[in-house]
Amino acid sequence: MAATAVRCLPMVAVVFSLLLAGAAGAQLSSRFYDRKCPRLQSMVRSAMAQAVATEPRMGASILRLFFHDCFVNGCDASILLDDTATFTGEKNAGPNANSVRGYDVIDTIKAQVEAACSATVSCADIVALAARDSVNLLGGPTWTVQLGRRDALNASQSAANANLPGPGSSLDTLIAMFGDKGLSPRDMTALSGAHTIGQARCVTFRDRIYNDTNIDDTFAALRQETCPLQSGGDGDGALAPMDVSTPDAFDNAYYENLASGQGLFHSDQELYSGGSQDVLVRVYRRNAGIFATDFAKAMVRMGNLMPSADTPTEIRLDCKKIN
């Protein structure tokens, strides 16, 4: 890998005008809590700094939690709800079970926020802020988070299973699933750059490293050392970094990996496999600043995915359960 291909992302703040929150009909504002909870953003930042310092992987986990929340009926913190007698929630859906983590970090932040500003700040807004800070603390861009989301009163395991793209997805599937959320192919390719941080379980990339042909042989052999061909054993949970070169830094190395045939997931390599996103991958590979700007813009757009207008909501006091 060329030493000059990967650069740390600039600490740019991407500022956006207030945006209408889609179908929910509510207007989000970056100043929503200025009077009601003025220390909110500093509290979230401090807690995330501590969490990431303790375990850098947690930054990727919180970012993924936000994505998995927003793609299922909007950014409403439904992913945080435990199962109840009346609904089966999202935590144990296929894409989330034994995979999504960081719930305890959000619970810790929520407790601190409740102590300072009782019954004021939604869990959904806390997750949105924590995701932004996770990226920035690991060297990525920052952006203005629009606030004013509310928390859902229910969750749906079936919706999570249906709405989250899997690691074996084709490029056409990725474009379609992001498009269903109002996100463009460019948004999809930029947001996929989140895979520059974090780790994945063997079960999610086994098929790629043993069966795909558009994979670097040395990279496949490296991953096979800890991810056995035989499924069903302890090896299923063996972890590997999603970015082989700088796993704990939010940078544009992910796109260099794709250009080298070193995407960990089949869905990753689909972005650079002779298809419509090849040109954009090359742009992001060469220009960290363009990637940073596009990623921040796409995060704002994803963060504005709202539940339908008739969805009952509240400000949860405990993110795990309704009031």
Side-chain angles (χ1 to χ4, degrees), residues 14-19 28 66 75 132 142-146 149 183 191 293-306:
V14 184
V15 182
F16 301 93
S17 61
L18 304 183
L19 300 173
L28 303 184
F66 183 51
C75 309
R132 186 270 310 271
T142 189
W143 56 90
T144 299
V145 175
Q146 305 298 318
R149 299 168 188 81
L183 297 169
L191 290 171
T293 298
D294 281 4
F295 182 85
K297 289 179 179 178
M299 286 293 291
V300 172
R301 282 192 277 271
M302 186 178 75
N304 279 282
L305 296 175
M306 292 291 113

Side-chain angles (χ1 to χ4, degrees), residues 28-241:
L28 303 184
S29 166
S30 62
R31 304 187 65 180
F32 190 83
Y33 298 108
D34 280 7
R35 293 185 179 181
K36 295 181 287 187
C37 195
R39 293 182 52 244
L40 170 63
Q41 298 207 33
S42 63
M43 285 190 288
V44 175
R45 175 82 179 194
S46 177
M48 283 311 307
Q50 182 176 351
V52 170
T54 301
E55 182 191 13
R57 182 189 173 200
M58 187 53 68
S61 297
I62 296 297
L63 178 57
R64 185 164 181 259
L65 190 154
F66 183 51
F67 170 77
H68 281 221
D69 182 42
C70 292
F71 256 56
V72 182
N73 300 324
C75 309
D76 61 359
S78 57
I79 194 173
L80 305 178
L81 288 170
D82 289 338
D83 294 350
T84 71
T86 58
F87 65 78
T88 301
E90 300 165 25
K91 286 184 175 180
N92 290 310
N96 298 335
N98 302 311
S99 177
V100 172
R101 52 200 297 273
Y103 300 113
D104 54 336
V105 173
I106 299 301
D107 285 342
T108 296
I109 298 173
K110 176 62 171 175
Q112 294 172 357
V113 171
E114 281 298 309
C117 317
S118 179
T120 300
V121 180
S122 68
C123 299
D125 278 341
I126 288 173
V127 174
L129 288 167
R132 186 270 310 271
D133 291 339
S134 294
V135 170
N136 187 235
L137 286 162
L138 291 174
T142 189
W143 56 90
T144 299
V145 175
Q146 305 298 318
L147 301 166
R149 299 168 188 81
R150 292 175 62 83
D151 301 322
L153 298 181
N154 52 49
S156 171
Q157 185 174 106
S158 61
N161 285 327
N163 283 275
L164 292 166
S169 298
S170 68
L171 179 59
D172 286 345
T173 296
L174 292 170
I175 290 173
M177 294 188 77
F178 277 74
D180 286 345
K181 309 300 179 185
L183 297 169
S184 69
R186 190 179 186 103
D187 292 329
M188 180 273 294
T189 299
L191 290 171
S192 295
H195 288 178
T196 190
I197 52 174
Q199 300 185 54
R201 296 174 300 145
C202 164
V203 69
T204 63
F205 59 83
R206 174 183 282 123
D207 189 60
R208 166 150 172 78
I209 63 174
Y210 285 101
N211 296 319
D212 278 8
T213 57
N214 60 345
I215 188 169
D216 177 76
D217 290 341
T218 301
F219 175 70
L222 174 65
R223 294 283 75 93
Q224 289 170 9
E225 290 177 5
T226 55
C227 180
L229 177 60
Q230 185 66 36
S231 63
D234 292 341
D236 282 2
L239 296 173

